[in-house]
Amino acid sequence: MLGASLRFRGVELLRRVGDLDAARIKGSTAGIPLLYPWANRLSSLRYRAAGRDVSLDSSSPRLHFDDHKLPMHGVPWSQLPWTVISSHADTLTARLDWFSQELLAIFPFPHHVEMAVRLRPLDLEIQTAVFADSGSPVPISFGFHPYFGLPGILRADWTLNAPAMRKLGRDAQGIPTGAETPSTPLAARLGNTDYDDGFALSREPATFSIDGNGYSIAIEFKRGFNFAQIFAPKDKEFIAIEPMTAETNALCSGEGLRVIAPGEHFIASFRIEVSYDAGSR
């Protein structure tokens, strides 16, 4: 259930899809991966959520770590055991059962997840539903990490558009500090600016876009994604605008963490829309 290609009129718009085998082996993100059961990093190998204390194994082959040895993005996309429920020309639905001992050692909340993907001529929509159907509460802290790029134009000349939000302060390891500052609507070229910033959305739905060379890629956070991470290193030809259901480190901090009770379910969805205007090149 990795988004491995998104082409518009034959032009590839996803990035980091050139060597998926290498990404799978390394545990790296690529294309459009689900980050589950948490997005971004945790500040510690220990967390307490929904009344349970968890100690992660630093040697677990089912975890990936950042440069600071912090657990990153939960279980890598290549190790999530999806089962396809239905598949058609324009829709795909799959189920992830969170019941195995290996998975419960990382996130001890038995449940299942369903991801539904719908493709139309100009847009792609991904809906993710979490079902607390096994007698356990389930904390909600997942997200996605879509990598985009615009053809025929340098990254510095891409225009990033973003709504008014609240920028989350972070420490040297990328963990939120609790500080927030208002962020006004943005419409600016990337230039040589480095982005690796977390935001709390002011409202939903919320729409972001990148524009350039006649292309526009819009990412609409439709439902359930109250946070965003914008990741665009100045020396890389990609940008990631990441829908997140919780802020970074919510499993450890508990800050704004949503927990669904047994018998409940949670739904989040986002949409990618592509357009092209030859006159605006």
Side-chain angles (χ1 to χ4, degrees):
M1 295 303 289
L2 174 77
S5 179
L6 183 63
R7 298 183 183 183
F8 179 73
R9 297 182 176 179
V11 176
E12 181 63 71
L13 300 177
L14 292 188
R15 295 296 181 262
R16 298 189 67 170
V17 292
D19 193 342
L20 295 179
D21 283 338
R24 173 182 57 81
I25 293 169
K26 189 177 179 181
S28 301
T29 50
I32 308 176
L34 171 66
L35 313 178
Y36 201 87
W38 66 84
N40 221 297
R41 53 182 56 79
L42 300 182
S43 62
S44 171
L45 289 171
R46 297 177 181 270
Y47 67 88
R48 178 175 176 80
R52 299 184 184 179
D53 293 302
V54 183
S55 295
L56 300 175
D57 182 357
S58 61
S59 64
S60 171
R62 288 187 177 270
L63 291 175
H64 184 70
F65 297 86
D66 70 4
D67 293 338
H68 300 288
K69 307 301 182 183
L70 299 180
M72 187 81 166
H73 297 330
V75 177
W77 57 269
S78 58
Q79 299 193 52
L80 295 175
W82 292 96
T83 299
V84 174
I85 297 174
S86 65
S87 178
H88 304 282
D90 56 356
T91 59
L92 176 67
T93 304
R95 173 179 173 131
L96 169 65
D97 289 323
W98 201 271
F99 301 142
S100 73
Q101 291 303 309
E102 293 85 359
L103 295 178
L104 291 173
I106 294 169
F107 190 68
F109 309 97
H111 65 286
H112 89 271
V113 183
E114 290 185 8
M115 189 192 302
V117 181
R118 181 179 64 180
L119 179 68
R120 292 180 293 199
L122 297 178
D123 69 347
L124 174 75
E125 184 170 338
I126 299 176
Q127 176 178 288
T128 308
V130 177
F131 296 87
D133 55 355
S134 298
S136 171
V138 183
I140 302 296
S141 59
F142 68 88
F144 285 81
H145 203 315
Y147 290 95
F148 300 108
L150 298 175
I153 183 174
L154 293 175
R155 175 250 190 230
D157 294 325
W158 303 349
T159 296
L160 170 63
N161 301 284
M165 301 178 287
R166 303 187 309 279
K167 186 175 181 179
L168 306 179
R170 62 181 190 131
D171 64 19
Q173 294 182 318
I175 302 299
T177 61
E180 296 184 1
T181 56
S183 174
T184 58
L186 176 68
R189 292 191 175 187
L190 292 183
N192 289 320
T193 303
D194 258 322
Y195 285 93
D196 191 5
D197 301 296
F199 299 88
L201 302 187
S202 299
R203 65 182 65 183
E204 66 174 26
T207 301
F208 302 75
S209 70
I210 54 168
D211 304 330
N213 198 31
Y215 290 89
S216 178
I217 304 174
I219 304 94
E220 180 187 14
F221 293 23
K222 294 187 65 177
R223 175 182 180 184
F225 294 110
N226 295 332
F227 296 86
Q229 186 82 12
I230 298 179
F231 178 52
K234 63 182 180 182
D235 59 344
K236 303 292 185 182
E237 292 293 312
F238 64 69
I239 184 171
I241 299 173
E242 308 168 37
M244 297 170 59
T245 57
E247 69 174 56
T248 296
N249 198 44
L251 281 181
C252 290
S253 69
E255 189 67 34
L257 181 66
R258 287 175 283 189
V259 178
I260 58 174
E264 294 183 342
H265 70 279
F266 173 86
I267 296 176
S269 63
F270 72 101
R271 187 173 69 96
I272 302 166
E273 183 177 12
V274 182
S275 62
Y276 178 72
D277 180 4
S280 65
R281 296 185 62 178

